[in-house]
Amino acid sequence: ECFQVVEGGITETTELLEERFDYIFFTGSGPVGKIVRAAANQHLTPVTLELGGKSPVYIDSSADMDITARRLLWAKCINLGQTCIAPDYVLCSKEVEVKLVEKMRSLIGEWYGNDPQKSPNLCRIINNRNWDRLHNLLKSTKGKVEIGGETDSNDLYIAPTVITGVGFDEPLMMEEIFGPILPIVSVKSVDEAVEFINKRDKPLTLYVFSSNKATQNAFKSKTSSGSMVVNDAIVHLSVETLPFGGVGASGMGGYHGKYTFTTFSHQKSVLVRDFSALGEYLGETRYPPYQDWKIDRISLLMKNRKIPKFLSLILYLACFFLGWLVSSLENKFN
């Protein structure tokens, strides 16, 4: 009785979008998000779009590599990488890359055994279409497969895979991976990493692993993303006091906790006035015929003022008292 649910696919959704709604909330891919936005525009319906994208990870030499590898690999392997805020690719120096790959190789054996495909702790790719897409990304890479790379179409399985030496412009770096493949791109500095990120669509989230405050602040102030996490990944979704949402190509609007209530609420302004003589006297300058003195008075009344200093408070108290006195007398004799 509270909620109406319509099940279906593209046909049913397309028909639903022809109806007039107060608000539309959509989470999914960018191309479909554009279709939803275009349909909403026909009725001027406001929307929240949570669209995903390529969420980058930056790691520098000041990070605790044991903890970084655990948190990063865990975040990448949740649902086998099929989450909208999964770490998509890593930016780091060659020195950090060597240490990270070694740590992640050890962790995969520790968590999933010698044959991860047999592990009960790894999911599978959602369908054949996405398995084919990920398999093609693997085959097209010019980088070196450091970890994993095994695939099984009959089981919709793709092993947790780490690839180094990935080119800036190869297919792995052109679309959201949405799977267990983690490319590592070599950069020489924070500035190069920031420039790399800023040349691409704004991500849904950005991850920075560093103990250096200057590095953390550089990514905070010089990049734009829906959210940002320092020294962890994905866990910000568990903090209900933080709004979650994208920016630019990764979406618009925010939700979670009180922000969800605000998103689905219209903040209606209501102003109620009375018929007091003092209020009417002060506001009579808005009525024709218009003269210079009326414009001067209304400009004075509408001027935004700073909080008065202590010595000026007397004047404000006098005005308050006068207003109260006039209102009291008016009520007494009416």
Side-chain angles (χ1 to χ4, degrees):
E1 295 179 359
C2 294
F3 304 100
Q4 293 185 359
V5 177
V6 178
E7 295 182 342
I10 296 175
T11 302
E12 291 78 9
T13 304
T14 301
E15 187 173 343
L16 274 177
L17 287 173
E18 294 177 358
E19 302 297 321
R20 183 186 296 274
F21 292 95
D22 292 329
Y23 204 95
I24 294 177
F25 184 102
F26 171 78
T27 177
S29 68
V32 179
K34 292 178 181 179
I35 295 172
V36 172
R37 175 72 184 276
N41 286 344
Q42 300 302 312
H43 300 295
L44 297 180
T45 301
V47 298
T48 290
L49 304 176
E50 194 259 273
L51 304 178
K54 295 183 74 64
S55 295
V57 181
Y58 176 77
I59 307 171
D60 72 8
S61 58
S62 71
D64 183 309
M65 207 53 59
D66 288 317
I67 295 176
T68 296
R70 280 199 299 270
R71 293 177 178 178
L72 178 58
L73 184 63
W74 168 79
K76 184 63 175 178
C77 289
I78 290 177
N79 204 36
L80 209 61
Q82 298 165 107
T83 65
C84 61
I85 53 171
D88 194 273
Y89 62 91
V90 174
L91 300 170
C92 65
S93 67
K94 283 291 185 181
E95 175 191 2
V96 170
E97 176 188 291
V98 172
K99 296 178 181 178
L100 179 66
V101 169
E102 190 58 36
K103 297 290 184 184
M104 296 182 86
R105 180 181 288 113
S106 176
L107 282 171
I108 288 175
E110 177 186 335
W111 291 355
Y112 306 118
N114 294 328
D115 186 356
Q117 187 172 0
K118 296 179 181 178
S119 171
N121 299 307
L122 278 178
C123 301
R124 294 297 184 263
I125 302 305
I126 187 65
N127 54 35
N128 286 295
R129 179 174 61 85
N130 277 286
W131 187 94
D132 289 339
R133 178 184 62 81
L134 290 165
H135 187 248
N136 289 333
L137 289 177
L138 262 180
K139 290 195 302 181
S140 67
T141 184
K142 300 174 183 177
K144 178 184 178 182
V145 177
E146 299 279 0
I147 303 171
E150 298 84 12
T151 63
D152 184 345
S153 60
N154 293 323
D155 193 24
L156 292 179
Y157 172 75
I158 294 180
T161 301
V162 179
I163 304 174
T164 61
V166 176
F168 289 2
D169 56 352
E170 64 177 83
L172 268 175
M173 299 305 296
M174 294 294 105
E175 63 177 78
E176 181 180 5
I177 293 173
F178 211 72
I181 305 169
L182 185 65
I184 300 180
V185 178
S186 179
V187 294
K188 297 178 180 179
S189 67
V190 172
D191 289 339
E192 186 179 350
V194 168
E195 182 181 3
F196 185 93
I197 293 168
N198 287 340
K199 283 183 177 179
R200 286 154 177 78
D201 286 338
K202 296 179 180 180
L204 184 56
T205 193
L206 167 65
Y207 302 115
V208 177
F209 289 86
S210 172
S211 296
N212 188 307
K213 294 296 183 182
T215 297
Q216 296 173 12
N217 289 330
F219 284 94
K220 286 180 189 177
S221 61
K222 295 180 180 180
T223 65
S224 177
S225 56
S227 55
M228 176 177 166
V229 181
V230 177
N231 295 330
D232 212 330
I234 289 187
V235 294
H236 57 305
L237 289 190
S238 66
V239 184
E240 66 176 22
T241 54
L242 290 176
F244 175 68
V247 59
S250 60
M252 61 181 68
Y255 63 112
H256 280 191
K258 70 174 184 179
Y259 300 98
T260 301
F261 184 86
T262 302
T263 288
F264 288 99
S265 301
H266 170 62
Q267 301 182 56
K268 180 172 65 176
S269 299
V270 177
L271 173 65
V272 179
R273 297 196 60 195
D274 59 23
F275 297 106
S276 71
L278 178 61
E280 183 62 13
Y281 169 74
L282 293 175
E284 68 179 3
T285 51
R286 59 182 162 166
Y287 305 134
Y290 299 116
Q291 299 174 11
D292 290 342
W293 71 268
K294 288 186 175 182
I295 295 174
D296 292 341
R297 181 194 287 182
I298 202 167
S299 296
L300 180 66
L301 292 172
M302 295 181 66
K303 183 179 179 180
N304 287 326
R305 294 174 175 80
K306 296 180 180 179
I307 297 175
K309 296 180 180 179
F310 177 74
L311 293 178
S312 303
L313 189 59
I314 297 174
L315 177 61
Y316 283 82
L317 289 174
C319 291
F320 174 81
F321 177 75
L322 179 61
W324 172 80
L325 181 62
V326 171
S327 179
S328 298
L329 293 174
E330 201 171 46
N331 290 333
K332 182 177 180 180
F333 292 106
N334 286 343

